[in-house]
Amino acid sequence: MHVFYADHFILPLPAGHRFPMAKYGRLRERLAAECPAVQLGQALPASDGELALVHDPAYIQAIQQGTLSPAAQREIGFPWSPAMAERARRSVGATIQACRTAIGGEGMAANIAGGTHHSYADKGSGFCVFNDAAVAARLMQAEHARQHRARGPLKVAIVDLDVHQGNGTARIFANDDSVFTLSLHGEKNFPFRKEAGDLDVELPDGTGDAAYLEALERALDELVHRFEPGLVIYLAGADPHEGDRLGRLKLTFDGLEARDRRVMDWAWQRRLPLAFAMAGGYGTDMEATVQVQMNTYRVALEYHARWMALARDGDRAAVTAA
């Protein structure tokens, strides 16, 4: 399974900064050591043109040139640096590559980072600079239109299971019926001013495994009754975990693994290619956050193996028919 990374671009954050930048490198180390079926690849940077499918050109240039105002930097939560600008581009590039890989026949691929769903078209917020899922969705639609014009437009479902609402994503696609935004998130958590997505499920503080999984099941049922996607982009946040400093929900390791399995099985049953990003995770113990994410990858590898078996069976059938 192809997995794309950009963790070698390290942001020079001040001492005591609450963003756990080291988790990405740690996740890559563990994937390399423990999951031989994962094929790691360095993410390519998203181009200005790709970013401009979603983001205002003036904002793209402000990130590139370091001309953001102090207030804009505070809203993002990162001080500007060349590494910050490059990492933001490559985080988007990783999700683009994962989507292309999934659509291209592998069915499942991933971005070690990503899930930057608080970014709007014209500004960043909440540790999110550019919106990787939004850019990737728009680019996959454009590429599909060029290659498969007769099939009609590609519809994309963004299944956002970070504990925080994907407000930027919801605003970007507010008037776009070709992208469906589903978000399960903490009712009282950041952002405190929510945007209206296609399907928002607000959860009270302290929600545990059973109630969460029941809400997810209902949401996926509603999604498929209202929308027929050709691609799923899944934000597999680790921050609903009970040990997360910013999460306020009470999901266990087992509950989060069941969440991942349900989303991936839902996509597999419909033969929908799925690209996923890790989104948020702010565990008091960083290793707990990484463990949640490792569990996500182990589930994903099972479904990737199913896609590969399906491709092999198709090849054999074609040879037999010939």
Side-chain angles (χ1 to χ4, degrees):
M1 183 175 74
H2 286 83
V3 176
F4 301 94
Y5 67 89
D7 59 87
H8 50 305
F9 292 93
I10 304 297
L11 304 195
L13 300 178
H17 196 284
R18 64 179 178 171
F19 190 83
M21 189 63 64
K23 69 179 182 178
Y24 302 113
R26 179 61 179 147
L27 176 59
R28 178 159 66 99
E29 290 171 359
R30 287 196 58 186
L31 287 170
E34 301 173 31
C35 299
V38 163
Q39 183 172 338
L40 291 161
Q42 182 174 319
L44 300 173
S47 69
D48 284 358
E50 290 166 345
L51 294 173
L53 292 170
V54 166
H55 293 288
D56 290 352
Y59 176 62
I60 297 169
Q61 290 308 305
I63 293 294
Q64 186 65 24
Q65 297 169 8
T67 57
L68 287 174
S69 70
Q73 291 185 56
R74 285 194 298 272
E75 185 166 359
I76 291 172
F78 296 140
W80 185 89
S81 67
M84 178 265 227
E86 187 66 17
R87 180 183 179 276
R89 284 180 179 270
R90 289 179 185 259
S91 186
V92 175
T95 296
I96 289 171
Q97 288 170 270
C99 286
R100 282 187 181 136
T101 301
I103 289 176
E106 293 202 16
M108 183 80 65
N111 176 0
I112 277 181
T116 46
H117 58 169
H118 298 311
S119 175
Y120 286 69
D122 60 349
K123 68 174 185 175
S125 180
F127 305 136
C128 301
V129 181
F130 298 126
N131 194 311
D132 65 304
V135 174
R138 286 256 172 90
L139 183 58
M140 293 307 101
Q141 290 179 323
E143 292 180 352
H144 183 273
R146 289 196 298 269
Q147 298 167 10
H148 307 291
R149 190 177 303 275
R151 298 183 188 177
L154 175 68
K155 293 187 175 182
V156 181
I158 299 177
V159 177
D160 188 342
L161 302 189
D162 188 288
V163 80
H164 307 106
Q165 195 225 18
N167 54 334
T169 311
R171 172 66 73 85
I172 288 165
F173 294 117
N175 299 307
D176 188 339
D177 61 7
S178 70
V179 178
F180 191 101
T181 58
L182 162 62
S183 178
L184 267 70
H185 53 262
E187 177 184 12
K188 297 178 181 179
N189 212 324
F190 179 89
F192 302 108
R193 181 180 176 182
K194 310 290 195 290
E195 301 283 355
D198 292 298
L199 179 55
D200 292 301
V201 180
E202 298 193 322
L203 303 169
D205 288 359
T207 295
D209 293 349
Y212 187 99
L213 294 170
E214 182 180 351
L216 174 60
E217 190 70 35
R218 290 197 302 267
L220 292 173
D221 284 347
E222 183 171 347
L223 191 165
V224 80
H225 280 102
R226 292 170 52 186
F227 192 75
E228 295 183 6
L231 169 68
V232 178
I233 301 176
Y234 173 36
L235 278 58
D239 44 13
H241 185 250
E242 59 188 348
D244 197 89
R245 289 181 292 125
L246 305 182
R248 300 169 66 168
L249 301 187
K250 296 295 182 184
L251 273 72
T252 65
F253 289 118
D254 288 345
L256 285 163
E257 184 174 339
R259 173 203 70 173
D260 296 332
R261 188 173 299 279
R262 182 66 195 100
V263 172
M264 293 176 188
D265 194 68
W266 175 86
W268 163 253
Q269 292 298 331
R270 293 162 179 79
R271 300 301 189 267
L272 298 174
L274 182 150
F276 66 97
M278 299 321 303
Y282 311 91
T284 304
D285 174 6
M286 188 186 74
E287 288 297 329
T289 295
V290 173
Q291 187 59 54
V292 171
Q293 296 168 338
M294 284 295 296
N295 293 344
T296 300
Y297 276 91
R298 290 193 173 102
V299 173
L301 284 167
E302 294 179 27
Y303 285 93
H304 180 262
R306 295 187 187 188
W307 277 96
M308 293 300 93
L310 186 68
R312 288 192 298 271
D313 289 345
D315 290 344
R316 284 196 292 268
V319 169
T320 301

